[in-house]
Amino acid sequence: MKKFQAQPGFVVQAYRFALDPNAGQEAALRSHCGAARAAYNWAVGWVEASWWQRRAEESYGIAEEDLTPWRPWSLPSLRKAFNEAKHTDPRFCGWWEENSKEAYSTGLANAAAAFDNYAKSKRGKRKGRAVGMPRFKSKRKARLACRFTTGTIRVEAGGRHVTLPRLGPVRVHEPTVKLLTHVQAGTARILSATVRHERGRWFVSFQTEVKRDLVRVARPDIAVGIDLGIKTLAVMADSSGEIREVANPRHLSAALVELRRASRLVSRRRGPDKRTGQKPSRRWEKANAARNRVHHRVANLREDALHKLTSAVAAEYGTVVVEDLNVTGMVKNRRLARHIADAGFGEIRRQLGYKAKRNGCRTVAANRWFPSSKTCSGCGVVKAKLPLHIRTFECDACGLVIERDANAALNLAALAAAAATGTAVGGDLDTGKVSKPRGVDQKTRTTLPSCKAGQRRAGGATLPHQRQQETRDRTQTEALTLW
């Protein structure tokens, strides 16, 4: 095996494989993941104990300088405190030596990250929703996961086994040829390995540093606009005028009959009850496992279909234009929430974002308020209203009649030229700053056909639709965001 040398052109990439552990190895995997959870709970309790102690002392009027000092939550501090407590703490005595030290380090690192997120959110330095104090992880609900960063971590030469610290060689369900080829050629180095139990199986993910050569797309000069929907998953229109449709497989809808039958069977068994402390029966656990298998199969089918779609798009076109959809707001529609979640709009955009970089493909996101469906792809006139149930676009100005989604895809494809040259395309955008969350105060304005050059009002004033036409060049580039 050639020696690995860090050189320009290396990227960090993950390789995930399904495992087929035997009974002893599965018990060891669960023990390591349980150790990570126990270390996390210990760290949360150890740090928060000083918080509650200070609050109690403050209630008695103790001065600030006499209060119990704050306990640090940095990873080195947690490791030092845990190494001192594991020998005497009854929660770890007698069994902590059975697992790798990496299992406890995983829990401590997760606790340190949780406290950092809480502190940053409290100070307003973290974007997104407010993050609360870290809470203890339940034994029944916590996700089984453990990360290894040191020790023996390798892919065996046969391609059917991986070696992990304290676990030894574990058989994989699928060959590891893709990663093994890079490792043997000296073009990859394994940085860490994470084992996780999800969808009823054990998986191992190797974080690697791999040398990746840029693979050019098949049609670098062609831009494609992708309009996502429920009836048709994706309508793709490229700059050459070709329009293609990708049918929505509707994996969840196809499995609803089987899922309802499995759920009905679960409801007729004696399940767990937190209020009374009732334990689930064996028949409930079997029925629940059968229902979970249906959910897992649907998730696997959806993931496979989306990966095939995004890989094909990122390998063919030089520029991909998609919409910045408000998926969080869309799923609040109780009639369409299930279908929107089943389609996976957000996952399509996420996958296109990182797959396009591999092939030198440029990805452009249209502004959320760009009226792609209301704009005529022929003359650029924008309709004031276009209800969702109207599936055919009819232009009142030029008489163009086209399918609604195909018209939107053509408008999105035209945005690629605007992003590159700054020229105007059909559609009028309001690019002012949003004063309300999610831009709910923005409305699409109607753009009238532009008049001939030089046509002015008395006194040299421009007409309203002329002013809109003149500002379109300036606002178009601002309405686009490059990923």
Side-chain angles (χ1 to χ4, degrees):
M1 184 180 299
K2 297 181 180 180
K3 185 178 179 180
F4 178 87
Q5 294 181 356
Q7 298 175 1
F10 282 81
V11 297
V12 177
Q13 181 178 341
Y15 290 85
R16 191 175 77 154
F17 305 100
L19 298 176
D20 282 336
N22 55 35
Q25 292 171 341
E26 183 170 2
L29 286 171
R30 291 185 177 273
S31 178
H32 277 72
C33 297
R37 180 189 58 83
Y40 175 89
N41 290 342
W42 175 90
V44 172
W46 184 76
V47 174
E48 292 185 355
S50 64
W51 297 7
W52 296 112
Q53 180 65 24
R54 289 175 62 92
R55 180 174 299 182
E57 293 173 353
E58 288 176 353
S59 63
Y60 287 102
I62 300 178
E64 175 69 23
E65 58 273 8
D66 297 332
L67 295 178
T68 300
W70 299 98
R71 285 179 175 175
W73 61 69
S74 63
L75 181 57
S77 301
L78 292 178
R79 281 178 175 173
K80 182 178 180 180
F82 177 79
N83 290 332
E84 297 175 355
K86 64 184 180 182
H87 299 282
T88 57
D89 196 314
R91 291 172 291 182
F92 298 96
C93 288
W95 66 272
W96 67 268
E97 295 180 347
E98 299 175 1
N99 303 304
S100 171
K101 64 181 180 64
E102 294 296 318
Y104 307 102
S105 181
T106 299
L108 299 179
N110 293 341
F115 280 109
D116 285 338
N117 292 335
Y118 168 69
K120 292 179 181 178
S121 178
K122 197 74 172 179
R123 296 193 299 264
K125 295 183 179 180
R126 189 178 190 275
K127 298 181 180 180
R129 295 181 178 179
V131 178
M133 293 176 57
R135 296 181 295 180
F136 295 108
K137 292 185 178 181
S138 170
K139 184 177 181 179
R140 296 185 62 89
K141 294 183 179 181
R143 176 174 293 180
L144 301 178
C146 180
R147 186 167 183 252
F148 300 93
T149 57
T150 60
T152 305
I153 306 174
R154 66 171 179 264
V155 180
E156 297 298 337
R160 296 311 303 259
H161 291 81
V162 296
T163 300
L164 300 174
R166 295 296 296 268
L167 299 173
V170 183
R171 183 173 177 83
V172 293
H173 186 72
E174 50 193 338
T176 61
V177 178
K178 291 185 178 181
L179 176 58
L180 182 62
T181 303
H182 285 287
V183 173
Q184 292 179 343
T187 58
R189 179 181 63 176
I190 298 177
L191 304 178
S192 64
T194 302
V195 292
R196 183 186 302 271
H197 186 270
E198 59 182 13
R199 300 180 187 177
R201 298 193 64 95
W202 285 96
F203 294 89
V204 58
S205 298
F206 292 100
Q207 185 185 23
T208 62
E209 194 175 20
V210 184
K211 183 179 181 181
R212 176 174 293 278
D213 297 327
L214 186 65
V215 180
R216 293 298 179 183
V217 296
R219 305 165 68 185
D221 299 331
I222 302 298
V224 63
I226 303 178
D227 182 77
L228 303 177
I230 296 177
K231 183 179 180 181
T232 303
L233 179 60
V235 177
M236 299 184 294
D238 56 36
S239 54
S240 64
E242 182 182 359
I243 299 177
R244 290 188 291 179
E245 295 185 356
V246 179
N248 189 356
R250 299 176 183 266
H251 299 294
L252 181 59
S253 300
L256 275 183
V257 175
E258 184 180 2
L259 185 60
R260 287 167 179 164
R261 185 184 298 112
S263 299
R264 189 182 306 116
L265 192 62
V266 172
S267 66
R268 293 173 178 175
R269 302 290 186 259
R270 191 188 69 185
D273 192 344
K274 288 186 176 181
R275 298 170 297 179
T276 61
Q278 176 178 278
K279 300 294 183 180
S281 64
R282 290 294 183 89
R283 299 180 70 197
W284 182 91
E285 292 180 346
K286 290 182 179 180
N288 187 51
R291 180 178 59 178
N292 290 340
R293 282 193 293 269
V294 179
H295 282 293
H296 298 159
R297 182 173 181 272
V298 171
N300 291 332
L301 289 174
R302 183 189 301 114
E303 183 180 15
D304 178 69
L306 295 184
H307 273 294
K308 290 179 178 178
L309 171 62
T310 54
S311 297
V313 172
E316 182 176 358
Y317 300 100
T319 304
V320 180
V321 185
V322 294
E323 293 177 296
D324 182 20
L325 298 176
N326 181 15
V327 181
T328 304
M330 294 169 67
V331 296
K332 293 182 179 180
N333 187 330
R334 63 184 181 88
R335 290 184 175 88
L336 300 177
R338 186 180 68 202
H339 303 286
I340 293 173
D342 188 22
F345 293 160
E347 183 65 14
I348 292 177
R349 176 172 173 178
R350 187 192 70 86
Q351 292 182 11
L352 285 175
Y354 74 86
K355 290 183 179 180
K357 296 179 181 179
R358 299 176 179 176
N359 303 333
C361 175
R362 188 177 58 139
T363 310
V364 179
N367 186 279
R368 182 171 296 177
W369 295 97
F370 173 64
S372 58
S373 299
K374 300 178 183 180
T375 304
C376 177
S377 57
C379 63
V381 173
V382 182
K383 283 182 173 291
K385 293 183 179 180
L386 187 64
L388 188 61
H389 67 274
I390 298 179
R391 307 308 304 171
T392 302
F393 181 88
E394 298 180 2
C395 182
D396 299 331
C398 65
L400 176 66
V401 179
I402 188 175
E403 203 273 337
R404 176 194 181 113
D405 295 337
N407 178 68
L410 289 172
N411 289 326
L412 292 174
L415 285 179
T421 63
T423 58
V425 296
D428 182 33
L429 303 181
D430 186 357
T431 57
K433 292 186 178 180
V434 179
S435 59
K436 294 183 180 180
R438 303 190 184 279
V440 294
D441 59 345
Q442 297 195 26
K443 295 182 179 179
T444 303
R445 300 197 306 269
T446 303
T447 302
L448 301 177
S450 60
C451 297
K452 296 180 180 180
Q455 188 176 6
R456 303 288 181 180
R457 281 184 177 178
T462 57
L463 297 174
H465 57 272
Q466 287 179 321
R467 291 196 298 269
Q468 293 177 356
Q469 182 69 19
E470 292 172 357
T471 57
R472 187 179 299 169
D473 289 349
R474 296 193 302 270
T475 60
Q476 190 65 50
T477 305
E478 298 175 1
L480 301 172
T481 54
L482 293 177
W483 291 1

